[in-house]
Amino acid sequence: MKVYSFSSGGINIEDGFAPDGECSNLAFLPEQVVIPLSTEAGSRSIPVVSAGQHIEEGMLLARGQGSGSANIYSPIPGSLRKMIKWEPAPGFLSDAFVIRLEGSFKRLGKQENRYNWAEFNRFEIQSLISEYGITEMDGLGRPLIDIFSAYNAARSSFTLVVRCIFDDPWLAADYCLCKEKVDAVAEGSLVTAKAVGAEAILFAVSASGRKIGEALFNSVKQREAQARLTVSLILTGSRYPQRSDYVMENALRLYEKKEGAGKGGFLILGPATVAAVHDAVVLRTPALERYVAVGGAAVKHPMVIRSRIGARLRDIFAECGGFCVKPENIAVTGLGSPLLGRSAGLDEPILKTSSGVFAIPVKRSEAIFNKFRRLKKIHDGLPSDVCISCGECRNVCPARLDPEDLYKGIKDGKRGDDARYLRCIGCGCCEAACPSKLPLCTVIVRSRLKGDACAV
Ligand code: SF4
Ligand code: SF4
């Protein structure tokens, strides 16, 4: 079977402190959860409960109001203690509920009723997806119904791509989910395709995870009567950043050219998102928990755990035996690699998009990047932050850019409106590979965000 990959650049990431993802561990129920009222897309939902009120598991806490917001449900039973302000990113302040665990669970451990979604038309399925507040379970966490509307407005036909890419070890949560919930991912893909009106489903699976791809494909085939659409499997590269949308779309375009498939475009969603659609439509359950890869050199026992949404990071690390050394850096990532994570505090909650959390005893850049720097010896006799024109950054750039040149352009104040800066996807490969430890990606991305000529 042909492997569709990006043609140049990329790195092979190995990290002995990431969990292996072969199986998950169910986390203890958290004594307290923190539930933000805004999606990561930024819009606030309107509370329908108030402080002091008793809350049941799976109860509606806040109702979405238009584009960017979604209905929010309680992952645990308990008492709503208070509303707090939470700042997940500088300048982005969100209200959040604090719920303390009390009372009994209505859903946990109970037999699940199944509903026959094949009887519903696409608008009835969309209505359930909206009612249960289903959002992307990675990346930006956008409400799914907004994504559907945008796709349906822009295209008359397209293919749903279920992205099962494991190009770095921090995608262990997706890997584990696909292994353990293969039928939910497969059936969720069919339900999602029907809801959005996709003409075909394509499982895009890393060549290294081929068995998972075949299991998904076979599971869908068993439901062929429900499907009534074309289902295919393609193998992709297993090198970072294969998962990024830009690189993924390049591989899909190659596939399209070769196989004549995907005419009209591709809607790419992760396996956790289609599994959440399955739960909403087939089981009538909102997303109350998610698979999280927990690890890093400061964590005693890295593992994939199934955690309730809203559990605090301190409880998540405690599940993994706590810390073996004091962590210098704690971060959360919804995109796989810690290269793309954001720093976080121990009291921050697991969000729907938190696929990985890690704690390391040194600065994150040191811990991650030193693994790839193969040319340190060349520096003998030179200061370590001087470009030695080795060309490594060019070799690994998947966007075929010259990161050294872009970096120097910013430093010298000569960036101007050079369009090459817009092609950078912020993958971090150049910075990871640079033996001089120059902050190439950091400076390029910061400069692009600011839009100024010099960000150094
Ligand atoms: S220049 Fe941008 S796209 Fe190229 S390797 Fe660096 S971060 Fe990635
Ligand atoms: S990898 Fe670093 S040292 Fe090598 S050419 Fe690029 S910027 Fe210079």
Side-chain angles (χ1 to χ4, degrees):
M1 208 171 168
K2 183 170 165 46
V3 174
Y4 291 90
S5 182
F6 53 106
S7 52
S8 68
I11 55 180
N12 291 312
I13 298 183
E14 289 170 15
D15 189 341
F17 298 106
D20 65 16
E22 289 305 320
C23 65
S24 68
N25 295 276
L26 182 60
F28 280 114
L29 292 164
E31 285 183 2
Q32 179 174 300
V33 293
V34 177
I35 307 293
L37 292 191
S38 301
T39 61
E40 284 158 90
S43 299
R44 186 179 186 275
S45 302
I46 302 295
V48 296
V49 291
S50 48
Q53 188 172 335
H54 176 73
I55 303 294
E56 292 183 351
E57 182 193 21
M59 184 171 155
L60 183 70
L61 298 175
R63 196 165 274 289
Q65 44 160 2
S67 174
S69 69
N71 289 351
I72 295 170
Y73 293 83
S74 179
I76 59 170
S79 121
L80 203 167
R81 303 299 287 264
K82 56 185 174 182
M83 178 106 79
I84 59 169
K85 294 281 181 201
W86 179 59
E87 191 174 13
F92 177 63
L93 208 58
S94 170
D95 291 324
F97 286 134
V98 177
I99 300 171
R100 185 161 283 278
L101 181 67
E102 280 175 21
S104 59
F105 283 77
K106 279 193 153 180
R107 295 171 187 265
L108 188 71
K110 305 282 188 317
Q111 179 79 34
E112 289 167 328
N113 291 327
R114 286 181 56 88
Y115 295 83
N116 184 8
W117 58 272
E119 291 173 354
F120 297 133
N121 65 38
R122 61 184 283 203
F123 301 107
E124 288 166 330
I125 296 175
Q126 283 186 10
S127 168
L128 286 166
I129 290 171
S130 175
E131 183 57 32
Y132 285 103
I134 303 304
T135 58
E136 288 174 297
M137 298 292 280
D138 54 20
L140 293 173
R142 295 168 296 174
L144 218 48
I145 221 69
D146 291 357
I147 298 174
F148 289 179
S149 301
Y151 257 76
N152 289 142
R155 297 164 187 83
S156 57
S157 71
F158 54 91
T159 295
L160 169 68
V161 178
V162 184
R163 181 194 48 217
C164 305
I165 310 290
F166 316 113
D167 60 9
D168 82 70
W170 285 92
L171 289 165
D174 271 0
Y175 180 82
C176 196
L177 168 82
C178 288
K179 274 190 82 172
E180 295 185 350
K181 293 201 165 185
V182 61
D183 289 337
V185 174
E187 193 170 12
S189 304
L190 291 171
V191 180
T192 307
K194 184 168 183 180
V196 71
E199 290 188 345
I201 298 176
L202 188 58
F203 289 103
V205 183
S206 300
S208 60
R210 180 179 185 144
K211 278 189 182 160
I212 285 178
E214 288 168 350
L216 286 168
F217 185 74
N218 292 335
S219 178
V220 168
K221 282 284 168 193
Q222 287 168 13
R223 297 171 167 78
E224 226 163 9
Q226 291 168 302
R228 293 198 201 107
L229 36 71
T230 313
V231 181
S232 321
L233 167 68
I234 69 162
L235 297 182
T236 71
S238 302
R239 196 163 85 254
Y240 176 86
Q242 181 68 67
R243 182 196 177 284
S244 90
D245 281 352
Y246 168 82
V247 167
M248 186 69 214
E249 276 166 18
N250 280 345
L252 290 171
R253 271 196 286 276
L254 269 178
Y255 173 79
E256 181 181 6
K257 203 169 157 190
K258 180 94 177 155
E259 310 286 340
K263 296 274 187 286
F266 298 102
L267 167 60
I268 305 173
L269 295 174
T273 304
V274 295
V277 169
H278 166 271
D279 291 354
V281 178
V282 180
L283 306 178
R284 304 285 167 89
T285 306
L288 304 181
E289 67 171 32
R290 68 152 299 128
Y291 282 62
V292 188
V294 190
V299 176
K300 261 190 193 160
H301 306 298
M303 62 176 78
V304 173
I305 63 173
R306 298 200 314 277
S307 163
R308 290 276 155 159
I309 307 290
R312 293 170 303 176
L313 298 192
R314 66 173 67 254
D315 296 330
I316 297 296
F317 287 120
E319 290 284 339
C320 299
F323 299 123
C324 45
V325 287
K326 186 174 180 294
E328 178 75 26
N329 197 312
I330 291 168
V332 180
T333 170
L335 295 168
S337 173
L339 294 170
L340 306 171
R342 92 182 149 73
S343 294
L346 283 172
D347 284 323
E348 287 199 24
I350 289 291
L351 305 176
K352 285 183 182 174
T353 54
S354 305
S355 62
V357 298
F358 57 97
I360 49 182
V362 291
K363 279 189 181 165
R364 183 156 28 133
S365 54
E366 293 292 310
I368 301 162
F369 294 173
N370 281 345
K371 294 179 194 305
F372 309 106
R373 295 189 174 114
R374 302 187 293 277
L375 304 176
K376 286 192 201 75
K377 286 203 171 110
I378 297 176
H379 272 295
D380 288 351
L382 279 174
S384 64
D385 60 351
V386 170
C387 172
I388 54 173
S389 298
C390 64
E392 279 289 296
C393 55
R394 286 183 286 282
N395 291 341
V396 299
C397 179
R400 296 174 185 266
L401 294 166
D402 182 344
E404 174 204 354
D405 192 46
L406 298 184
Y407 175 77
K408 285 179 181 164
I410 296 166
K411 253 190 124 177
D412 297 342
K414 292 180 185 160
R415 189 198 126 159
D417 56 1
D418 191 333
R420 290 178 305 160
Y421 289 91
L422 300 176
R423 283 173 41 212
C424 170
I425 59 169
C427 64
C429 289
C430 52
E431 198 164 322
C434 177
S436 296
K437 302 185 181 181
L438 293 174
L440 303 167
C441 170
T442 306
V443 167
I444 294 167
V445 170
R446 200 189 304 152
S447 161
R448 205 183 55 194
L449 289 175
K450 283 186 179 175
D452 55 15
C454 181
V456 182

